[in-house]
């Protein structure tokens, strides 16, 4: 079992690393797991690994596992020591807002119940997400939009959902069972800075019938426009709001890179 974070670089510098490390420790605490390395130590290992890359921009995966057991069992050894793994790979040297957008479907499979395995913890247990994505692919879509056990909209398999209705940007609250995305946090910062109307709102599938534009947010892809939800093709993709937030996010990332 493990917890992990995914960070991307922008202009060769890791973006939002501290926010990711904060969430890593929150996930570990939920998992009854200790992270013995300081933020400075993990940051140094990330930078040492990035220094070996022979490409411009990187995907960085930081994994902390509970440790290595000599016997296969659910009973954990008292002297078990966590392992730290950092994996990097190349990504597109320049972020590009996709013009085609994603097709989302609402599958039969629901999001993990918070009382069973809280989606707010970013763990290595991704079976729920994998099965939902496979179901979406079988239905000819790009990704799944999962409901919780109350029939409320939560998120896609690896990204948070945002919609725009009547000029208001809306996204489900953490309480419905989602991961508090780091890019989601930065987008809230942008929405407040530019005084763009926005709200966290519990959404039902019927609320998606009046969506003008929609997009997903994640740390590597940043913003992915949505062109279709189930059978409904959205009026705009990417919409004006999506394009504006994309530019503002890139500006924020550029400012962060210049301070490093």
């Amino acid at each position: 079992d493990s917890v992990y974070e995914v960070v991307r670089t922008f202009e060769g510098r890791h973006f939002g690393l501290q926010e990711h490390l904060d969430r890593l420790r929150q996930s570990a605490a939920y998992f009854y797991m200790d992270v013995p390395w300081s933020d400075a130590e993990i940051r140094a290992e990330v930078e040492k690994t990035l220094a070996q890359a022979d490409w411009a921009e990187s995907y960085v995966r930081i994994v902390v596992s509970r440790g290595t057991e000599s016997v296969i069992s659910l009973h954990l050894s008292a002297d078990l020591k966590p392992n730290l793994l950092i994996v990097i790979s190349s990504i597109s040297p320049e972020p590009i807002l996709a013009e085609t957008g994603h097709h989302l479907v609402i599958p039969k499979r629901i999001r993990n119940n918070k009382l069973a395995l809280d989606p707010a913890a970013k763990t290595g247990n991704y079976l729920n997400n994998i099965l939902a994505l496979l179901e979406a692919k079988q239905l000819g879509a790009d990704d799944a939009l999962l409901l919780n056990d109350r029939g409320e909209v939560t998120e896609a398999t690896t990204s948070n959902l945002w919609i725009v209705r009547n000029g208001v940007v809306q996204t489900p609250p953490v309480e419905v069972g989602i991961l508090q995305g780091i890019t989601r946090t930065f987008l809230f910062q942008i929405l407040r800075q530019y005084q763009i109307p926005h709200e966290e709102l519990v959404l039902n599938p019927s609320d998606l019938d009046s969506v003008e534009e929609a997009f997903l947010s994640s740390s590597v892809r940043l913003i992915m426009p949505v062109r279709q939800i189930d059978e409904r093709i959205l009026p705009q993709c990417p919409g004006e709001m999506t394009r504006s937030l994309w530019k503002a996010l890139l500006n924020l990332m550029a400012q962060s890179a210049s301070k490093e």
Side-chain angles (χ1 to χ4, degrees):
D1 53 350
S2 63
V3 294
Y4 79 99
E5 288 292 327
V6 170
V7 182
R8 66 159 293 148
T9 63
F10 183 78
E11 297 181 359
R13 300 297 303 165
H14 46 69
F15 174 69
L17 179 57
Q18 186 57 55
E19 288 81 1
H20 281 280
L21 292 179
D22 291 343
R23 190 174 65 180
L24 180 75
R25 295 188 187 280
Q26 293 168 5
S27 297
Y30 172 79
F31 243 39
Y32 314 117
M33 184 190 299
D34 179 47
V35 179
W37 304 275
S38 68
D39 289 353
E41 288 172 324
I42 298 177
R43 179 184 294 266
E45 291 298 327
V46 167
E47 292 178 350
K48 184 171 68 175
T49 309
L50 284 172
Q52 300 177 63
D54 58 359
W55 51 77
E57 302 292 358
S58 297
Y59 165 109
V60 183
R61 191 180 186 96
I62 305 167
V63 184
V64 177
S65 70
R66 199 179 297 276
T68 304
E69 286 277 19
S70 58
V71 178
I72 298 176
S73 171
L74 295 183
H75 298 283
L76 306 177
S77 300
D79 59 350
L80 200 60
K81 295 181 179 179
N83 293 322
L84 173 64
L85 173 67
I86 297 171
V87 181
I88 64 171
S89 60
S90 63
I91 58 175
S92 173
E94 181 179 355
I96 298 174
L97 183 66
E99 294 293 326
T100 53
H102 264 23
H103 174 196
L104 305 180
V105 293
I106 297 176
K108 294 180 180 179
R109 191 169 306 278
I110 63 173
R111 196 71 174 97
N112 283 332
N113 186 293
K114 292 174 63 178
L115 296 178
L117 182 60
D118 195 341
K122 194 171 181 67
T123 76
N125 187 333
Y126 253 61
L127 186 56
N128 179 235
N129 312 64
I130 291 170
L131 294 175
L133 181 58
L134 287 172
E135 186 176 337
K137 295 289 188 179
Q138 291 170 0
L139 295 172
D142 298 298
D143 203 346
L145 183 57
L146 292 152
L147 306 182
N148 62 20
D149 55 0
R150 297 186 298 275
E152 300 161 341
V153 176
T154 64
E155 57 189 348
T157 56
T158 59
S159 49
N160 295 131
L161 173 73
W162 302 77
I163 65 172
V164 181
R165 294 191 297 174
N166 300 318
V168 179
V169 180
Q170 300 173 330
T171 190
V174 173
E175 290 72 27
V176 301
I178 67 170
L179 179 70
Q180 172 63 285
I182 303 302
T183 304
R184 181 179 187 270
T185 300
F186 286 125
L187 285 172
F188 273 126
Q189 179 181 328
I190 290 169
L191 291 166
R192 291 191 295 268
Q193 177 183 350
Y194 292 96
Q195 299 183 331
I196 298 171
H198 64 279
E199 60 183 341
E200 291 182 273
L201 184 68
V202 175
L203 298 170
N204 295 302
S206 59
D207 295 320
L208 304 178
D209 294 339
S210 54
V211 170
E212 298 150 14
E213 57 182 289
F215 60 90
L216 304 173
S217 65
S218 66
S219 292
V220 176
R221 291 184 299 183
L222 303 179
I223 290 177
M224 169 57 71
V226 174
R227 77 172 186 276
Q228 182 176 345
I229 302 177
D230 283 338
E231 301 303 318
R232 181 172 183 263
I233 297 177
L234 304 190
Q236 305 174 47
C237 178
E240 182 179 346
M241 182 68 74
T242 304
R243 294 184 187 277
S244 296
L245 292 174
W246 171 262
K247 292 178 181 178
L249 181 58
L250 292 187
N251 287 337
L252 177 65
M253 296 173 72
Q255 292 170 12
S256 175
S258 67
K259 295 177 182 178
E260 292 287 345

